[in-house]
Amino acid sequence: MGSTNIVHQLFLDPISSHAFNADQTQLVVSNSTPLTHIMQLGGDKKFSTKEVLEQHLERVTSVDWAPKTNRIVTCAGDRNAYVWNYQEQDGYWKPCLVLLRINRAATFVRWSPLEDRF
């Protein structure tokens, strides 16, 4: 009665941060570049890139996916954070810039339990 580990190779580059959506069929990944990849679990049980989020100027250091509100937050070395809201009617992720007012790179971000702040 043991559990099986599943290994997925997503990139050749190292992954700096990742988070799953509520039902774990999608994955948001940052791979030490300014891009953030949203990956979808396919019928073959492999993840493939569904969408690429592009707003940061430097490498994305941390991501988190809010399970209840279905929002993604990303932060990067450019000292900015973005909250990404999925637009159901248009089918894309809309970014909202959050000014952090810090003088160093943002290295870690997580949603609060109520998912109203990070």
PDB file of all heavy atoms in Angstrom, residues 14-19 28-36 56-64 73-82 100 102 104-110:
ATOM      1  N   PRO A  14      16.785  25.114 -14.357  1.00  0.00           N
ATOM      2  CA  PRO A  14      16.254  24.911 -13.001  1.00  0.00           C
ATOM      3  C   PRO A  14      14.948  25.673 -12.784  1.00  0.00           C
ATOM      4  O   PRO A  14      14.748  26.750 -13.343  1.00  0.00           O
ATOM      5  CB  PRO A  14      17.343  25.477 -12.085  1.00  0.00           C
ATOM      6  CG  PRO A  14      18.519  25.717 -12.938  1.00  0.00           C
ATOM      7  CD  PRO A  14      18.076  25.762 -14.360  1.00  0.00           C
ATOM      8  N   ILE A  15      14.077  25.130 -11.976  1.00  0.00           N
ATOM      9  CA  ILE A  15      12.811  25.763 -11.628  1.00  0.00           C
ATOM     10  C   ILE A  15      13.001  26.503 -10.313  1.00  0.00           C
ATOM     11  O   ILE A  15      13.426  25.912  -9.324  1.00  0.00           O
ATOM     12  CB  ILE A  15      11.686  24.715 -11.514  1.00  0.00           C
ATOM     13  CG1 ILE A  15      11.417  24.108 -12.891  1.00  0.00           C
ATOM     14  CG2 ILE A  15      10.431  25.321 -10.923  1.00  0.00           C
ATOM     15  CD1 ILE A  15      10.444  22.966 -12.869  1.00  0.00           C
ATOM     16  N   SER A  16      12.686  27.801 -10.304  1.00  0.00           N
ATOM     17  CA  SER A  16      12.870  28.576  -9.076  1.00  0.00           C
ATOM     18  C   SER A  16      11.634  28.554  -8.190  1.00  0.00           C
ATOM     19  O   SER A  16      11.738  28.700  -6.981  1.00  0.00           O
ATOM     20  CB  SER A  16      13.261  30.016  -9.400  1.00  0.00           C
ATOM     21  OG  SER A  16      12.294  30.619 -10.219  1.00  0.00           O
ATOM     22  N   SER A  17      10.453  28.363  -8.778  1.00  0.00           N
ATOM     23  CA  SER A  17       9.237  28.331  -7.971  1.00  0.00           C
ATOM     24  C   SER A  17       8.109  27.698  -8.783  1.00  0.00           C
ATOM     25  O   SER A  17       8.099  27.773 -10.009  1.00  0.00           O
ATOM     26  CB  SER A  17       8.847  29.757  -7.562  1.00  0.00           C
ATOM     27  OG  SER A  17       7.737  29.744  -6.705  1.00  0.00           O
ATOM     28  N   HIS A  18       7.166  27.092  -8.071  1.00  0.00           N
ATOM     29  CA  HIS A  18       5.997  26.510  -8.741  1.00  0.00           C
ATOM     30  C   HIS A  18       4.824  26.477  -7.777  1.00  0.00           C
ATOM     31  O   HIS A  18       5.006  26.538  -6.564  1.00  0.00           O
ATOM     32  CB  HIS A  18       6.303  25.091  -9.249  1.00  0.00           C
ATOM     33  CG  HIS A  18       6.385  24.075  -8.159  1.00  0.00           C
ATOM     34  ND1 HIS A  18       7.505  23.931  -7.369  1.00  0.00           N
ATOM     35  CD2 HIS A  18       5.488  23.170  -7.712  1.00  0.00           C
ATOM     36  CE1 HIS A  18       7.284  22.975  -6.484  1.00  0.00           C
ATOM     37  NE2 HIS A  18       6.068  22.500  -6.670  1.00  0.00           N
ATOM     38  N   ALA A  19       3.617  26.382  -8.328  1.00  0.00           N
ATOM     39  CA  ALA A  19       2.404  26.251  -7.525  1.00  0.00           C
ATOM     40  C   ALA A  19       1.324  25.610  -8.388  1.00  0.00           C
ATOM     41  O   ALA A  19       1.266  25.847  -9.599  1.00  0.00           O
ATOM     42  CB  ALA A  19       1.929  27.617  -7.025  1.00  0.00           C
ATOM     43  N   VAL A  28       1.718  26.541 -12.315  1.00  0.00           N
ATOM     44  CA  VAL A  28       2.404  27.765 -12.707  1.00  0.00           C
ATOM     45  C   VAL A  28       3.864  27.599 -12.280  1.00  0.00           C
ATOM     46  O   VAL A  28       4.152  27.181 -11.169  1.00  0.00           O
ATOM     47  CB  VAL A  28       1.749  29.032 -12.107  1.00  0.00           C
ATOM     48  CG1 VAL A  28       1.727  29.018 -10.604  1.00  0.00           C
ATOM     49  CG2 VAL A  28       2.420  30.285 -12.617  1.00  0.00           C
ATOM     50  N   VAL A  29       4.777  27.891 -13.221  1.00  0.00           N
ATOM     51  CA  VAL A  29       6.194  27.611 -13.005  1.00  0.00           C
ATOM     52  C   VAL A  29       7.029  28.807 -13.419  1.00  0.00           C
ATOM     53  O   VAL A  29       6.792  29.400 -14.473  1.00  0.00           O
ATOM     54  CB  VAL A  29       6.635  26.389 -13.846  1.00  0.00           C
ATOM     55  CG1 VAL A  29       8.109  26.090 -13.639  1.00  0.00           C
ATOM     56  CG2 VAL A  29       5.808  25.177 -13.526  1.00  0.00           C
ATOM     57  N   SER A  30       8.028  29.141 -12.601  1.00  0.00           N
ATOM     58  CA  SER A  30       9.044  30.112 -13.018  1.00  0.00           C
ATOM     59  C   SER A  30      10.366  29.361 -13.106  1.00  0.00           C
ATOM     60  O   SER A  30      10.727  28.615 -12.208  1.00  0.00           O
ATOM     61  CB  SER A  30       9.134  31.277 -12.042  1.00  0.00           C
ATOM     62  OG  SER A  30       9.593  30.854 -10.792  1.00  0.00           O
ATOM     63  N   ASN A  31      11.060  29.554 -14.215  1.00  0.00           N
ATOM     64  CA  ASN A  31      12.299  28.813 -14.426  1.00  0.00           C
ATOM     65  C   ASN A  31      13.500  29.738 -14.531  1.00  0.00           C
ATOM     66  O   ASN A  31      14.303  29.638 -15.449  1.00  0.00           O
ATOM     67  CB  ASN A  31      12.180  27.918 -15.661  1.00  0.00           C
ATOM     68  CG  ASN A  31      11.966  28.697 -16.939  1.00  0.00           C
ATOM     69  OD1 ASN A  31      11.480  29.813 -16.900  1.00  0.00           O
ATOM     70  ND2 ASN A  31      12.324  28.121 -18.059  1.00  0.00           N
ATOM     71  N   SER A  32      13.609  30.645 -13.566  1.00  0.00           N
ATOM     72  CA  SER A  32      14.751  31.559 -13.460  1.00  0.00           C
ATOM     73  C   SER A  32      14.911  32.458 -14.681  1.00  0.00           C
ATOM     74  O   SER A  32      16.011  32.796 -15.072  1.00  0.00           O
ATOM     75  CB  SER A  32      16.039  30.771 -13.192  1.00  0.00           C
ATOM     76  OG  SER A  32      15.923  30.045 -12.002  1.00  0.00           O
ATOM     77  N   THR A  33      13.791  32.829 -15.296  1.00  0.00           N
ATOM     78  CA  THR A  33      13.762  33.793 -16.394  1.00  0.00           C
ATOM     79  C   THR A  33      12.657  34.804 -16.082  1.00  0.00           C
ATOM     80  O   THR A  33      11.895  34.607 -15.132  1.00  0.00           O
ATOM     81  CB  THR A  33      13.445  33.101 -17.744  1.00  0.00           C
ATOM     82  OG1 THR A  33      12.099  32.622 -17.716  1.00  0.00           O
ATOM     83  CG2 THR A  33      14.407  31.969 -18.044  1.00  0.00           C
ATOM     84  N   PRO A  34      12.507  35.861 -16.859  1.00  0.00           N
ATOM     85  CA  PRO A  34      11.401  36.797 -16.629  1.00  0.00           C
ATOM     86  C   PRO A  34      10.027  36.236 -17.015  1.00  0.00           C
ATOM     87  O   PRO A  34       9.017  36.885 -16.793  1.00  0.00           O
ATOM     88  CB  PRO A  34      11.752  37.987 -17.516  1.00  0.00           C
ATOM     89  CG  PRO A  34      13.206  37.882 -17.779  1.00  0.00           C
ATOM     90  CD  PRO A  34      13.500  36.417 -17.787  1.00  0.00           C
ATOM     91  N   LEU A  35       9.985  35.046 -17.579  1.00  0.00           N
ATOM     92  CA  LEU A  35       8.724  34.446 -18.017  1.00  0.00           C
ATOM     93  C   LEU A  35       8.153  33.520 -16.956  1.00  0.00           C
ATOM     94  O   LEU A  35       8.886  32.862 -16.225  1.00  0.00           O
ATOM     95  CB  LEU A  35       8.940  33.648 -19.302  1.00  0.00           C
ATOM     96  CG  LEU A  35       9.586  34.394 -20.467  1.00  0.00           C
ATOM     97  CD1 LEU A  35       9.819  33.449 -21.619  1.00  0.00           C
ATOM     98  CD2 LEU A  35       8.746  35.578 -20.879  1.00  0.00           C
ATOM     99  N   THR A  36       6.830  33.445 -16.915  1.00  0.00           N
ATOM    100  CA  THR A  36       6.131  32.512 -16.033  1.00  0.00           C
ATOM    101  C   THR A  36       5.244  31.647 -16.916  1.00  0.00           C
ATOM    102  O   THR A  36       4.479  32.164 -17.720  1.00  0.00           O
ATOM    103  CB  THR A  36       5.273  33.274 -14.999  1.00  0.00           C
ATOM    104  OG1 THR A  36       6.117  34.179 -14.283  1.00  0.00           O
ATOM    105  CG2 THR A  36       4.631  32.323 -14.023  1.00  0.00           C
ATOM    106  N   HIS A  56       7.411  40.772 -16.168  1.00  0.00           N
ATOM    107  CA  HIS A  56       8.597  41.104 -15.380  1.00  0.00           C
ATOM    108  C   HIS A  56       9.788  41.397 -16.281  1.00  0.00           C
ATOM    109  O   HIS A  56       9.908  40.855 -17.378  1.00  0.00           O
ATOM    110  CB  HIS A  56       8.932  39.957 -14.423  1.00  0.00           C
ATOM    111  CG  HIS A  56       7.977  39.845 -13.282  1.00  0.00           C
ATOM    112  ND1 HIS A  56       7.952  40.735 -12.240  1.00  0.00           N
ATOM    113  CD2 HIS A  56       7.000  38.939 -13.030  1.00  0.00           C
ATOM    114  CE1 HIS A  56       7.009  40.386 -11.384  1.00  0.00           C
ATOM    115  NE2 HIS A  56       6.408  39.293 -11.847  1.00  0.00           N
ATOM    116  N   LEU A  57      10.694  42.259 -15.778  1.00  0.00           N
ATOM    117  CA  LEU A  57      11.898  42.615 -16.515  1.00  0.00           C
ATOM    118  C   LEU A  57      13.095  41.771 -16.108  1.00  0.00           C
ATOM    119  O   LEU A  57      14.057  41.665 -16.857  1.00  0.00           O
ATOM    120  CB  LEU A  57      12.217  44.098 -16.299  1.00  0.00           C
ATOM    121  CG  LEU A  57      11.105  45.060 -16.728  1.00  0.00           C
ATOM    122  CD1 LEU A  57      11.465  46.486 -16.352  1.00  0.00           C
ATOM    123  CD2 LEU A  57      10.819  44.921 -18.200  1.00  0.00           C
ATOM    124  N   GLU A  58      13.046  41.212 -14.910  1.00  0.00           N
ATOM    125  CA  GLU A  58      14.123  40.348 -14.429  1.00  0.00           C
ATOM    126  C   GLU A  58      13.535  39.001 -14.027  1.00  0.00           C
ATOM    127  O   GLU A  58      12.319  38.813 -14.062  1.00  0.00           O
ATOM    128  CB  GLU A  58      14.848  41.012 -13.254  1.00  0.00           C
ATOM    129  CG  GLU A  58      15.609  42.256 -13.682  1.00  0.00           C
ATOM    130  CD  GLU A  58      16.476  42.812 -12.573  1.00  0.00           C
ATOM    131  OE1 GLU A  58      16.855  42.049 -11.662  1.00  0.00           O
ATOM    132  OE2 GLU A  58      16.758  44.015 -12.624  1.00  0.00           O
ATOM    133  N   ARG A  59      14.380  38.088 -13.590  1.00  0.00           N
ATOM    134  CA  ARG A  59      13.916  36.717 -13.350  1.00  0.00           C
ATOM    135  C   ARG A  59      12.871  36.634 -12.244  1.00  0.00           C
ATOM    136  O   ARG A  59      12.973  37.304 -11.218  1.00  0.00           O
ATOM    137  CB  ARG A  59      15.079  35.784 -13.061  1.00  0.00           C
ATOM    138  CG  ARG A  59      15.728  35.943 -11.734  1.00  0.00           C
ATOM    139  CD  ARG A  59      16.892  34.962 -11.616  1.00  0.00           C
ATOM    140  NE  ARG A  59      17.511  35.106 -10.341  1.00  0.00           N
ATOM    141  CZ  ARG A  59      17.222  34.354  -9.280  1.00  0.00           C
ATOM    142  NH1 ARG A  59      16.348  33.390  -9.382  1.00  0.00           N
ATOM    143  NH2 ARG A  59      17.820  34.558  -8.131  1.00  0.00           N
ATOM    144  N   VAL A  60      11.865  35.832 -12.484  1.00  0.00           N
ATOM    145  CA  VAL A  60      10.790  35.602 -11.519  1.00  0.00           C
ATOM    146  C   VAL A  60      11.334  34.685 -10.434  1.00  0.00           C
ATOM    147  O   VAL A  60      11.879  33.628 -10.722  1.00  0.00           O
ATOM    148  CB  VAL A  60       9.547  34.985 -12.208  1.00  0.00           C
ATOM    149  CG1 VAL A  60       8.478  34.649 -11.185  1.00  0.00           C
ATOM    150  CG2 VAL A  60       9.007  35.926 -13.259  1.00  0.00           C
ATOM    151  N   THR A  61      11.187  35.103  -9.190  1.00  0.00           N
ATOM    152  CA  THR A  61      11.759  34.348  -8.076  1.00  0.00           C
ATOM    153  C   THR A  61      10.728  33.533  -7.306  1.00  0.00           C
ATOM    154  O   THR A  61      11.080  32.564  -6.651  1.00  0.00           O
ATOM    155  CB  THR A  61      12.468  35.300  -7.092  1.00  0.00           C
ATOM    156  OG1 THR A  61      11.544  36.326  -6.705  1.00  0.00           O
ATOM    157  CG2 THR A  61      13.695  35.931  -7.734  1.00  0.00           C
ATOM    158  N   SER A  62       9.453  33.927  -7.368  1.00  0.00           N
ATOM    159  CA  SER A  62       8.450  33.202  -6.603  1.00  0.00           C
ATOM    160  C   SER A  62       7.066  33.377  -7.243  1.00  0.00           C
ATOM    161  O   SER A  62       6.769  34.427  -7.814  1.00  0.00           O
ATOM    162  CB  SER A  62       8.418  33.713  -5.160  1.00  0.00           C
ATOM    163  OG  SER A  62       7.584  32.911  -4.361  1.00  0.00           O
ATOM    164  N   VAL A  63       6.255  32.318  -7.140  1.00  0.00           N
ATOM    165  CA  VAL A  63       4.878  32.339  -7.639  1.00  0.00           C
ATOM    166  C   VAL A  63       3.980  31.654  -6.618  1.00  0.00           C
ATOM    167  O   VAL A  63       4.439  30.835  -5.829  1.00  0.00           O
ATOM    168  CB  VAL A  63       4.744  31.614  -9.001  1.00  0.00           C
ATOM    169  CG1 VAL A  63       5.565  32.294 -10.068  1.00  0.00           C
ATOM    170  CG2 VAL A  63       5.108  30.160  -8.890  1.00  0.00           C
ATOM    171  N   ASP A  64       2.706  32.015  -6.628  1.00  0.00           N
ATOM    172  CA  ASP A  64       1.722  31.314  -5.806  1.00  0.00           C
ATOM    173  C   ASP A  64       0.370  31.411  -6.502  1.00  0.00           C
ATOM    174  O   ASP A  64       0.067  32.408  -7.156  1.00  0.00           O
ATOM    175  CB  ASP A  64       1.646  31.903  -4.401  1.00  0.00           C
ATOM    176  CG  ASP A  64       0.951  30.967  -3.427  1.00  0.00           C
ATOM    177  OD1 ASP A  64       0.902  29.744  -3.688  1.00  0.00           O
ATOM    178  OD2 ASP A  64       0.457  31.441  -2.380  1.00  0.00           O
ATOM    179  N   VAL A  73      -0.021  35.163  -8.132  1.00  0.00           N
ATOM    180  CA  VAL A  73       0.850  36.283  -7.800  1.00  0.00           C
ATOM    181  C   VAL A  73       2.280  35.871  -8.153  1.00  0.00           C
ATOM    182  O   VAL A  73       2.679  34.728  -7.937  1.00  0.00           O
ATOM    183  CB  VAL A  73       0.725  36.698  -6.311  1.00  0.00           C
ATOM    184  CG1 VAL A  73       1.121  35.587  -5.365  1.00  0.00           C
ATOM    185  CG2 VAL A  73       1.534  37.954  -6.032  1.00  0.00           C
ATOM    186  N   THR A  74       3.023  36.809  -8.756  1.00  0.00           N
ATOM    187  CA  THR A  74       4.421  36.571  -9.094  1.00  0.00           C
ATOM    188  C   THR A  74       5.252  37.735  -8.574  1.00  0.00           C
ATOM    189  O   THR A  74       4.777  38.877  -8.518  1.00  0.00           O
ATOM    190  CB  THR A  74       4.624  36.479 -10.629  1.00  0.00           C
ATOM    191  OG1 THR A  74       4.210  37.701 -11.235  1.00  0.00           O
ATOM    192  CG2 THR A  74       3.850  35.318 -11.214  1.00  0.00           C
ATOM    193  N   CYS A  75       6.493  37.466  -8.194  1.00  0.00           N
ATOM    194  CA  CYS A  75       7.418  38.532  -7.825  1.00  0.00           C
ATOM    195  C   CYS A  75       8.763  38.223  -8.465  1.00  0.00           C
ATOM    196  O   CYS A  75       9.055  37.069  -8.805  1.00  0.00           O
ATOM    197  CB  CYS A  75       7.529  38.706  -6.316  1.00  0.00           C
ATOM    198  SG  CYS A  75       8.367  37.383  -5.448  1.00  0.00           S
ATOM    199  N   ALA A  76       9.583  39.274  -8.626  1.00  0.00           N
ATOM    200  CA  ALA A  76      10.821  39.096  -9.377  1.00  0.00           C
ATOM    201  C   ALA A  76      11.909  40.049  -8.893  1.00  0.00           C
ATOM    202  O   ALA A  76      11.674  40.900  -8.030  1.00  0.00           O
ATOM    203  CB  ALA A  76      10.556  39.326 -10.863  1.00  0.00           C
ATOM    204  N   GLY A  77      13.059  39.891  -9.516  1.00  0.00           N
ATOM    205  CA  GLY A  77      14.207  40.728  -9.199  1.00  0.00           C
ATOM    206  C   GLY A  77      14.038  42.173  -9.611  1.00  0.00           C
ATOM    207  O   GLY A  77      14.839  43.025  -9.230  1.00  0.00           O
ATOM    208  N   ASP A  78      13.006  42.494 -10.390  1.00  0.00           N
ATOM    209  CA  ASP A  78      12.752  43.883 -10.790  1.00  0.00           C
ATOM    210  C   ASP A  78      12.020  44.674  -9.706  1.00  0.00           C
ATOM    211  O   ASP A  78      11.605  45.803  -9.928  1.00  0.00           O
ATOM    212  CB  ASP A  78      11.977  43.934 -12.106  1.00  0.00           C
ATOM    213  CG  ASP A  78      10.650  43.185 -12.058  1.00  0.00           C
ATOM    214  OD1 ASP A  78      10.226  42.755 -10.970  1.00  0.00           O
ATOM    215  OD2 ASP A  78      10.041  43.023 -13.133  1.00  0.00           O
ATOM    216  N   ARG A  79      11.829  44.069  -8.530  1.00  0.00           N
ATOM    217  CA  ARG A  79      11.200  44.690  -7.356  1.00  0.00           C
ATOM    218  C   ARG A  79       9.713  44.959  -7.556  1.00  0.00           C
ATOM    219  O   ARG A  79       9.130  45.829  -6.915  1.00  0.00           O
ATOM    220  CB  ARG A  79      11.913  45.983  -6.956  1.00  0.00           C
ATOM    221  CG  ARG A  79      13.330  45.756  -6.518  1.00  0.00           C
ATOM    222  CD  ARG A  79      13.965  47.026  -6.086  1.00  0.00           C
ATOM    223  NE  ARG A  79      14.240  47.833  -7.267  1.00  0.00           N
ATOM    224  CZ  ARG A  79      14.806  49.014  -7.250  1.00  0.00           C
ATOM    225  NH1 ARG A  79      15.147  49.551  -6.119  1.00  0.00           N
ATOM    226  NH2 ARG A  79      15.019  49.667  -8.358  1.00  0.00           N
ATOM    227  N   ASN A  80       9.095  44.199  -8.436  1.00  0.00           N
ATOM    228  CA  ASN A  80       7.662  44.319  -8.676  1.00  0.00           C
ATOM    229  C   ASN A  80       6.967  43.006  -8.399  1.00  0.00           C
ATOM    230  O   ASN A  80       7.590  41.945  -8.438  1.00  0.00           O
ATOM    231  CB  ASN A  80       7.379  44.712 -10.133  1.00  0.00           C
ATOM    232  CG  ASN A  80       7.809  46.116 -10.442  1.00  0.00           C
ATOM    233  OD1 ASN A  80       7.736  46.996  -9.606  1.00  0.00           O
ATOM    234  ND2 ASN A  80       8.276  46.324 -11.655  1.00  0.00           N
ATOM    235  N   ALA A  81       5.685  43.099  -8.143  1.00  0.00           N
ATOM    236  CA  ALA A  81       4.835  41.915  -8.037  1.00  0.00           C
ATOM    237  C   ALA A  81       3.648  42.144  -8.966  1.00  0.00           C
ATOM    238  O   ALA A  81       3.205  43.279  -9.163  1.00  0.00           O
ATOM    239  CB  ALA A  81       4.357  41.702  -6.608  1.00  0.00           C
ATOM    240  N   TYR A  82       3.160  41.063  -9.539  1.00  0.00           N
ATOM    241  CA  TYR A  82       1.965  41.118 -10.381  1.00  0.00           C
ATOM    242  C   TYR A  82       0.940  40.139  -9.842  1.00  0.00           C
ATOM    243  O   TYR A  82       1.281  39.023  -9.469  1.00  0.00           O
ATOM    244  CB  TYR A  82       2.284  40.747 -11.837  1.00  0.00           C
ATOM    245  CG  TYR A  82       2.975  41.844 -12.601  1.00  0.00           C
ATOM    246  CD1 TYR A  82       4.361  41.902 -12.658  1.00  0.00           C
ATOM    247  CD2 TYR A  82       2.242  42.820 -13.256  1.00  0.00           C
ATOM    248  CE1 TYR A  82       5.006  42.900 -13.363  1.00  0.00           C
ATOM    249  CE2 TYR A  82       2.880  43.834 -13.969  1.00  0.00           C
ATOM    250  CZ  TYR A  82       4.256  43.869 -14.008  1.00  0.00           C
ATOM    251  OH  TYR A  82       4.892  44.869 -14.702  1.00  0.00           O
ATOM    252  N   LEU A 100       5.762  47.406  -4.761  1.00  0.00           N
ATOM    253  CA  LEU A 100       6.152  46.879  -3.454  1.00  0.00           C
ATOM    254  C   LEU A 100       6.887  47.895  -2.596  1.00  0.00           C
ATOM    255  O   LEU A 100       6.976  47.723  -1.390  1.00  0.00           O
ATOM    256  CB  LEU A 100       7.013  45.622  -3.641  1.00  0.00           C
ATOM    257  CG  LEU A 100       6.326  44.458  -4.337  1.00  0.00           C
ATOM    258  CD1 LEU A 100       7.295  43.305  -4.489  1.00  0.00           C
ATOM    259  CD2 LEU A 100       5.094  44.022  -3.560  1.00  0.00           C
ATOM    260  N   ILE A 102      10.092  48.491  -2.228  1.00  0.00           N
ATOM    261  CA  ILE A 102      11.245  47.904  -1.551  1.00  0.00           C
ATOM    262  C   ILE A 102      12.488  48.262  -2.347  1.00  0.00           C
ATOM    263  O   ILE A 102      12.413  48.570  -3.532  1.00  0.00           O
ATOM    264  CB  ILE A 102      11.112  46.362  -1.415  1.00  0.00           C
ATOM    265  CG1 ILE A 102      10.903  45.712  -2.785  1.00  0.00           C
ATOM    266  CG2 ILE A 102       9.976  46.003  -0.479  1.00  0.00           C
ATOM    267  CD1 ILE A 102      10.852  44.195  -2.740  1.00  0.00           C
ATOM    268  N   ARG A 104      15.180  46.254  -2.626  1.00  0.00           N
ATOM    269  CA  ARG A 104      15.885  45.032  -3.024  1.00  0.00           C
ATOM    270  C   ARG A 104      14.924  44.158  -3.831  1.00  0.00           C
ATOM    271  O   ARG A 104      13.724  44.394  -3.877  1.00  0.00           O
ATOM    272  CB  ARG A 104      16.352  44.268  -1.789  1.00  0.00           C
ATOM    273  CG  ARG A 104      17.445  44.991  -1.037  1.00  0.00           C
ATOM    274  CD  ARG A 104      18.058  44.078  -0.001  1.00  0.00           C
ATOM    275  NE  ARG A 104      19.239  44.670   0.571  1.00  0.00           N
ATOM    276  CZ  ARG A 104      19.253  45.482   1.603  1.00  0.00           C
ATOM    277  NH1 ARG A 104      18.114  45.810   2.187  1.00  0.00           N
ATOM    278  NH2 ARG A 104      20.371  45.971   2.065  1.00  0.00           N
ATOM    279  N   ALA A 105      15.474  43.129  -4.424  1.00  0.00           N
ATOM    280  CA  ALA A 105      14.653  42.207  -5.210  1.00  0.00           C
ATOM    281  C   ALA A 105      13.638  41.494  -4.324  1.00  0.00           C
ATOM    282  O   ALA A 105      13.928  41.150  -3.178  1.00  0.00           O
ATOM    283  CB  ALA A 105      15.546  41.181  -5.901  1.00  0.00           C
ATOM    284  N   ALA A 106      12.455  41.279  -4.854  1.00  0.00           N
ATOM    285  CA  ALA A 106      11.436  40.486  -4.155  1.00  0.00           C
ATOM    286  C   ALA A 106      11.775  39.016  -4.391  1.00  0.00           C
ATOM    287  O   ALA A 106      11.922  38.578  -5.526  1.00  0.00           O
ATOM    288  CB  ALA A 106      10.059  40.810  -4.699  1.00  0.00           C
ATOM    289  N   THR A 107      11.923  38.260  -3.308  1.00  0.00           N
ATOM    290  CA  THR A 107      12.390  36.879  -3.468  1.00  0.00           C
ATOM    291  C   THR A 107      11.359  35.821  -3.098  1.00  0.00           C
ATOM    292  O   THR A 107      11.524  34.666  -3.464  1.00  0.00           O
ATOM    293  CB  THR A 107      13.641  36.639  -2.607  1.00  0.00           C
ATOM    294  OG1 THR A 107      13.328  36.916  -1.243  1.00  0.00           O
ATOM    295  CG2 THR A 107      14.796  37.508  -3.065  1.00  0.00           C
ATOM    296  N   PHE A 108      10.300  36.182  -2.391  1.00  0.00           N
ATOM    297  CA  PHE A 108       9.330  35.173  -1.954  1.00  0.00           C
ATOM    298  C   PHE A 108       7.959  35.814  -1.806  1.00  0.00           C
ATOM    299  O   PHE A 108       7.842  36.914  -1.273  1.00  0.00           O
ATOM    300  CB  PHE A 108       9.768  34.560  -0.617  1.00  0.00           C
ATOM    301  CG  PHE A 108       8.958  33.387  -0.204  1.00  0.00           C
ATOM    302  CD1 PHE A 108       9.153  32.145  -0.788  1.00  0.00           C
ATOM    303  CD2 PHE A 108       7.981  33.505   0.766  1.00  0.00           C
ATOM    304  CE1 PHE A 108       8.399  31.048  -0.408  1.00  0.00           C
ATOM    305  CE2 PHE A 108       7.220  32.414   1.151  1.00  0.00           C
ATOM    306  CZ  PHE A 108       7.429  31.187   0.561  1.00  0.00           C
ATOM    307  N   VAL A 109       6.934  35.101  -2.264  1.00  0.00           N
ATOM    308  CA  VAL A 109       5.579  35.617  -2.150  1.00  0.00           C
ATOM    309  C   VAL A 109       4.620  34.452  -1.900  1.00  0.00           C
ATOM    310  O   VAL A 109       4.802  33.362  -2.447  1.00  0.00           O
ATOM    311  CB  VAL A 109       5.172  36.408  -3.423  1.00  0.00           C
ATOM    312  CG1 VAL A 109       5.091  35.518  -4.633  1.00  0.00           C
ATOM    313  CG2 VAL A 109       3.871  37.155  -3.215  1.00  0.00           C
ATOM    314  N   ARG A 110       3.624  34.658  -1.025  1.00  0.00           N
ATOM    315  CA  ARG A 110       2.574  33.672  -0.756  1.00  0.00           C
ATOM    316  C   ARG A 110       1.290  34.424  -0.437  1.00  0.00           C
ATOM    317  O   ARG A 110       1.308  35.483   0.186  1.00  0.00           O
ATOM    318  CB  ARG A 110       2.910  32.764   0.444  1.00  0.00           C
ATOM    319  CG  ARG A 110       3.952  31.725   0.163  1.00  0.00           C
ATOM    320  CD  ARG A 110       3.448  30.686  -0.841  1.00  0.00           C
ATOM    321  NE  ARG A 110       4.468  29.760  -1.221  1.00  0.00           N
ATOM    322  CZ  ARG A 110       5.192  29.818  -2.323  1.00  0.00           C
ATOM    323  NH1 ARG A 110       5.039  30.798  -3.178  1.00  0.00           N
ATOM    324  NH2 ARG A 110       6.092  28.921  -2.597  1.00  0.00           N
TER     325      ARG A 110
END
